[in-house]
Every structure is written in C-alpha cells, then in structure tokens.
Amino acid sequence: MGADNQQVTEETMLSAEYVCGFVDGEGCFYILNSKRVACEFQVSQKDRTVLDEMRETFGCGYVKPKYDKAGTYVYLVKSVRDLAEKVVPFFRDHPLRVKRGQFQRFAQAVEIQRSKAHLTVEGRRKIAELKSGTSETIRQAPMPQEVG
C-alpha cells in the first residue's frame, strides 16, 4: 500500500480499549446551550497522528489545529447524526471510567437534539439541567462533616 493511500486498514484502527483510555484522559463531551443548542465530542493532543487514527476509527469528524500557544490539535465530531449513530453507541458498548457521568449526560443531550426536542421550552430546560449536572446533583445536601 502506497503512502498516498488513505484507506482505513487494521493497522490504523485503534482498539476500543485504547480509544476509551485516551478519551478518559484527553477527551471532552461538550453540551453547548447559549443562543443555540449543540453537542460536540472533542479530543485534544499535540500529536496529530493519533487524532487522525481516531477519526478513521470512528469514521466521522475532522482534525484541526486548536489555535493555542501549546501547538495542539483537536479531533471534533459535531454532526448530531454522527454523534448519535457512531460516537454514542461506541461508548455505550465500551464504557468509560473517568468520564462516564459526563458521557451519560452528553448521550441524553444528543438524543434530545436528535429528536428536535431541544426546540421546546421543556427540551431547553432539560439541556440546561444536563449541562450543569442532574437536578439531584444540584439539590444534593452537603456531605456531613467528620467529627473528630
């Protein structure tokens, strides 16, 4: 296979374990809720090669410079369809450890956006709740202080 050939091969496919570990450390599941609602999956790294391989593994998204002074790149997936059909199912099949809660809120927000429910008042309220944490987290009583 020539160097110019951009076909995905088993050599460029990352294992699910590698992707999960990498995303637990360097990834982020964003829920944007300002003038518009949007969900984004991002992974940042100085080495572009691994991000290109991640893009090939998921079969969606793109890699671009992050435009920071550290010279990093970012792999982004913004398409609701790609998030709902590729990213969310991947992490449901291969659960994260560190970012499990962040992912679960993100997956709910993606479903709300995909179903167009974010266009309703109730949908926007739910997105805001997911962005800031669940209502149970917000109302959670402080932990009792240890008596010593």
Side-chain angles (χ1 to χ4, degrees), residues 5-147:
N5 192 330
Q6 297 297 312
Q7 290 182 345
V8 176
T9 66
E10 286 189 30
E11 292 175 10
T12 61
M13 295 290 288
L14 301 174
S15 72
E17 294 82 7
Y18 183 88
V19 170
C20 288
F22 204 89
V23 169
D24 260 338
E26 304 294 336
C28 193
F29 299 92
Y30 284 110
I31 301 170
L32 308 169
N33 186 23
S34 54
K35 292 181 182 178
R36 65 181 182 88
V37 171
C39 296
E40 296 179 7
F41 169 58
Q42 297 186 10
V43 184
S44 298
Q45 179 68 20
K46 286 188 177 186
D47 180 5
R48 181 185 174 127
T49 304
V50 72
L51 298 178
D52 287 331
E53 290 174 356
M54 194 166 292
R55 181 187 53 75
E56 291 173 5
T57 298
F58 280 102
C60 61
Y62 59 95
V63 177
K64 69 174 193 146
K66 196 171 179 179
Y67 302 114
D68 61 2
K69 292 183 181 180
T72 57
Y73 292 91
V74 62
Y75 167 58
L76 292 157
V77 180
K78 295 182 177 185
S79 159
V80 175
R81 182 177 182 179
D82 287 339
L83 291 169
E85 295 178 6
K86 297 177 181 177
V87 175
V88 169
F90 178 89
F91 290 111
R92 283 199 172 127
D93 290 343
H94 310 284
L96 296 163
R97 291 179 184 242
V98 176
K99 296 188 174 157
R100 181 177 291 155
Q102 187 185 89
F103 167 73
Q104 289 171 344
R105 290 190 304 274
F106 176 82
Q108 290 176 52
V110 167
E111 185 52 41
I112 290 169
Q113 190 179 9
R114 185 175 192 186
S115 70
K116 307 280 188 211
H118 67 290
L119 301 174
T120 68
V121 172
E122 176 62 20
R124 284 299 285 245
R125 184 196 62 74
K126 182 64 177 170
I127 291 286
E129 185 178 286
L130 291 168
K131 181 176 171 56
S132 63
T134 64
S135 57
E136 291 78 22
T137 303
I138 294 167
R139 290 189 223 131
Q140 184 175 5
M143 295 297 289
Q145 297 296 322
E146 186 175 317
V147 178

